[in-house]
Amino acid sequence: MTQSTIVRWSDPKVILVATNLVEDHPFMLHAIYQTALSRAKVLLVHVISPFYLSTEAVYGTPSVQSNLVVRNARAKLDELAAEFRWEGIECEPMILNGLPEEQIPLIVKSRIVDRIIVASRAASGVERLIGGSVAEALISGVEIPVCTIGRSMRPDLVCATQPERILLATSLQPESPMLVSFASRLAELHHSHLTLLHVLESAGMTWQERELARFKARQKLSGLIPKEARHRHRPVLLVAEGDTKTVIPDVAGSTTQDLVILGGSFPSLFSWMLGTSVVHRVIVEAKCPVITIKSPARSATERPFLRDGTDAGETLAHPIGCTEEAVSGR
């Protein structure tokens, strides 16, 4: 992961907005405001399902069975694109044929997309198994930030110009330096309050063991903050105790954050179907957009925690002091 990638992700120049043409208006408004922050070009993409496709006998290539479906989709997509252009945002509407989870990653690579914005759906149980979710497929299938807009998002965020508070939940795994660099860069660009959250599973620990584990976690969190970072507000280091599957969704869903960032290994189909994964719960319960980044493939010789001053024997990037605070509302 290079610094140029972090810069590109935090200040995107090309954003893909995936639409099924039936999202509510707040979703499109948020997509407009988010792209306006970086003055990015928008690829407004709608994928027509294979259900509407037939195979031509002559060439054996897929074609849309009903021209009416295409015309209606094109008319709606052009209408949505006009909303972006009205705000001075360059927007290119695109209609693709196939499966969204297959076609969108191809566009991401061919057009060098920096971020995806997609709405989440609230399906659960058998419905999730049958219908799946485009958001979930993209989160686990692409290696760029995916911003998911859930149905619980606070109405005031629709017209927000900059995220005032950013929460990054990190498990202190090898991908943590990349995630913290990304969150730190975003906080710098928007002069945001940044909170780094780590959940300590302290079951079975003695009081002394818990205190030592909390101290080490705070050291690692502090060491992950880039030394060159220049934040307007000092980052908050929050070490909580409990079950990750409940603590992170609770913090993300109950505090007045404007943006939540998650990363790491993503869940199996079974946990997605049941709705028990951390990522799924955060997206469903968070009252703000959630950016997820899939962990990049790592070679066997790559060293973890490249920016962790504790493991590398370096001085801490920021003094620890009394930086552990509860995330408070505005």
Side-chain angles (χ1 to χ4, degrees):
M1 183 63 60
T2 63
Q3 187 62 29
S4 61
T5 301
I6 297 298
V7 171
R8 185 166 57 88
W9 285 357
S10 56
D11 191 22
K13 299 309 175 188
V14 180
I15 294 178
L16 187 152
V17 178
T19 175
N20 58 14
L21 305 180
V22 297
E23 295 94 352
D24 54 14
H25 194 55
F27 166 77
M28 202 56 61
L29 283 178
H30 182 82
I32 290 172
Y33 282 107
Q34 191 173 141
T35 53
L37 283 177
S38 60
R39 296 180 291 278
K41 175 179 178 177
V42 170
L43 303 180
L44 186 60
V45 176
H46 174 64
V47 183
I48 297 180
S49 167
F51 176 79
Y52 298 103
L53 301 179
S54 62
T55 302
E56 294 179 346
V58 179
Y59 300 107
T61 57
S63 63
V64 176
Q65 192 174 30
S66 170
N67 288 331
L68 181 61
V69 172
V70 179
R71 286 199 303 268
N72 289 341
R74 172 60 65 183
K76 180 61 177 178
L77 205 62
D78 288 343
E79 180 182 318
L80 295 176
E83 295 187 35
F84 284 92
R85 293 169 183 150
W86 178 260
E87 299 293 335
I89 300 169
E90 182 181 358
C91 181
E92 178 183 347
M94 304 175 66
I95 293 181
L96 306 175
N97 295 335
L99 297 174
E101 59 269 28
E102 294 177 356
Q103 295 300 316
I104 292 177
L106 294 176
I107 292 295
V108 166
K109 291 182 178 180
S110 64
R111 300 297 294 270
I112 315 180
V113 173
D114 303 316
R115 185 182 301 173
I116 295 174
I117 301 177
V118 63
S120 71
R121 34 181 259 154
S124 61
V126 175
E127 184 183 356
R128 291 173 61 81
L129 180 62
I130 296 174
S133 165
V134 173
E136 293 160 8
L138 294 177
I139 286 170
S140 60
V142 300
E143 293 185 354
I144 65 170
V146 178
C147 181
T148 307
I149 311 299
R151 298 190 178 185
S152 300
M153 190 175 71
R154 302 197 318 269
D156 62 292
L157 290 181
V158 171
C159 298
T161 55
Q162 294 188 82
E164 294 185 24
R165 296 178 182 270
I166 297 175
L167 172 68
L168 167 64
T170 175
S171 57
L172 297 178
Q173 294 302 309
E175 70 278 356
S176 297
M178 175 267 291
L179 292 170
V180 175
S181 293
F182 172 66
S184 175
R185 177 69 178 174
L186 272 180
E188 282 188 87
L189 284 174
H190 304 304
H191 307 300
S192 309
H193 296 265
L194 174 62
T195 297
L196 305 183
L197 168 66
H198 174 67
V199 179
L200 183 65
E201 297 188 5
S202 57
M205 291 185 181
T206 64
W207 179 85
Q208 291 86 351
E209 289 172 336
R210 287 203 308 272
E211 287 302 302
L212 179 59
R214 290 167 68 89
F215 176 76
K216 288 184 176 180
R218 287 195 296 272
Q219 281 187 313
K220 288 191 173 185
L221 287 174
S222 180
L224 288 172
I225 300 172
K227 292 179 173 62
E228 66 274 12
R230 295 295 180 265
H231 296 116
R232 174 174 293 184
H233 310 282
R234 187 178 182 180
V236 172
L237 309 181
L238 178 61
V239 179
E241 296 184 33
D243 183 358
T244 303
K245 292 182 180 180
T246 58
V247 174
I248 294 178
D250 287 348
V251 173
S254 63
T255 60
T256 55
Q257 300 297 323
D258 296 324
L259 181 65
V260 173
I261 301 173
L262 301 174
S265 302
F266 288 99
S268 64
L269 173 63
F270 186 68
S271 61
W272 272 124
M273 180 187 72
L274 296 179
T276 58
S277 73
V278 174
V279 176
H280 170 73
R281 284 200 56 194
V282 170
I283 289 174
V284 169
E285 298 177 18
K287 296 177 175 59
C288 64
V290 178
I291 289 182
T292 50
I293 305 177
K294 178 184 177 182
S295 298
R298 194 164 58 92
S299 66
T301 59
E302 186 177 345
R303 291 179 59 194
F305 293 117
L306 295 180
R307 269 193 166 147
D308 193 325
T310 303
D311 288 348
E314 302 173 355
T315 57
L316 296 179
H318 294 261
I320 297 175
C322 298
T323 54
E324 183 182 354
E325 303 172 7
V327 182
S328 59
R330 286 189 214 133

